Amino acid sequence: MKKVAVIMGSDSDFPIVSGAVKTLNEYGVPFEVHIMSAHRTPEQAAEFSANARKNGFGVIIAAAGKAAHLAGVLAAHTTIPVIGIPVKSSTLDGLDALLATVQMPKGIPVATVAIDGADNAAILAVQMLALSDDTLAEKLAEDKIKMKDGVAKKDKAIQEKVAELVK
C-alpha cells in the first residue's frame, strides 16, 4: 500500500494535523509526518515532493496557515495528488490560507478541504488510495453505512423528543 505524507508548515499546526494522523491510522494507511516550510525550507520541500512517488507515497497532505504556499510548492514538484489543509491562524480566521491553497494555477492542482479540515483531508487521501485498494474501498463503504445509520438513529431520537413536546 502506498504511504501518505502529512506535511505541516509549523509545529503549531500539529493540533489540526493530528486529526488526519488519527484518521489515517484508523484506516491502517501507512504515513509519515514532517515539518517543512514553503518559505524557510523550500529546497527541502521541493526535494521531498520530487521524490515522493519513488519513496512510496501515493498522496501528500499539506497543512499551512497564513500565506499557505506549502501545498502549492509541493504540488509544483510532483505528479501525485496533493491535498491542502488551510489552517486557521490569528489573522483573517484562515480565509487567507484558504485562498492561498485553493487558488492554484493551471497544471498545479491542489485538492483543498475546509479550513482546519484535517479529518476530511485524510478521508480524501484514503479515497484516492482506495481506487487501487479494495480493502480500503470496503472500509470506506462500511463507514458510509455507519454514518447513514447514525443519522437515522438521531432522527428517531429527535422524533421522540418532538412527540414529547407536542403531547
Side-chain angles (χ1 to χ4, degrees):
M1 178 185 307
K2 298 266 187 199
K3 299 181 287 186
V4 174
V6 180
I7 312 297
M8 64 192 107
S10 169
D11 61 346
S12 64
D13 299 328
F14 188 68
I16 300 303
V17 168
S18 64
V21 170
K22 289 175 188 174
T23 300
L24 291 169
N25 188 57
E26 288 169 6
Y27 278 96
V29 172
F31 59 88
E32 291 182 16
V33 179
H34 298 283
I35 297 173
M36 294 176 201
S37 170
H39 305 109
R40 295 181 185 98
T41 61
E43 296 88 1
Q44 179 188 10
E47 181 181 345
F48 182 89
S49 61
N51 294 306
R53 182 183 299 277
K54 177 178 74 174
N55 290 329
F57 293 97
V59 180
I60 298 173
I61 295 173
K66 297 188 179 184
H69 296 129
L70 182 59
V73 167
L74 295 170
H77 296 281
T78 190
T79 58
I80 67 172
V82 175
I83 303 167
I85 305 170
V87 176
K88 182 178 180 180
S89 63
S90 59
T91 52
L92 302 178
D93 289 329
L95 182 59
D96 48 349
L98 174 64
L99 295 174
T101 305
V102 77
Q103 292 290 71
M104 295 301 302
K106 181 179 179 181
I108 312 295
V110 171
T112 307
V113 295
I115 295 169
D116 292 350
D119 292 354
N120 270 351
I123 292 168
L124 182 56
V126 172
Q127 289 176 328
M128 290 172 176
L129 296 177
L131 291 170
S132 60
D133 187 317
D134 291 340
T135 301
L136 283 179
E138 289 172 17
K139 287 180 182 177
L140 286 163
E142 289 169 8
D143 283 349
K144 292 280 187 179
I145 292 168
K146 288 177 188 174
M147 283 189 283
K148 181 181 86 169
D149 292 346
V151 171
K153 185 176 178 180
K154 289 177 182 180
D155 181 63
K156 182 180 178 192
I158 204 73
Q159 296 307 316
E160 291 170 3
K161 287 181 180 182
V162 169
E164 285 295 317
L165 285 176
V166 297
K167 279 187 174 182

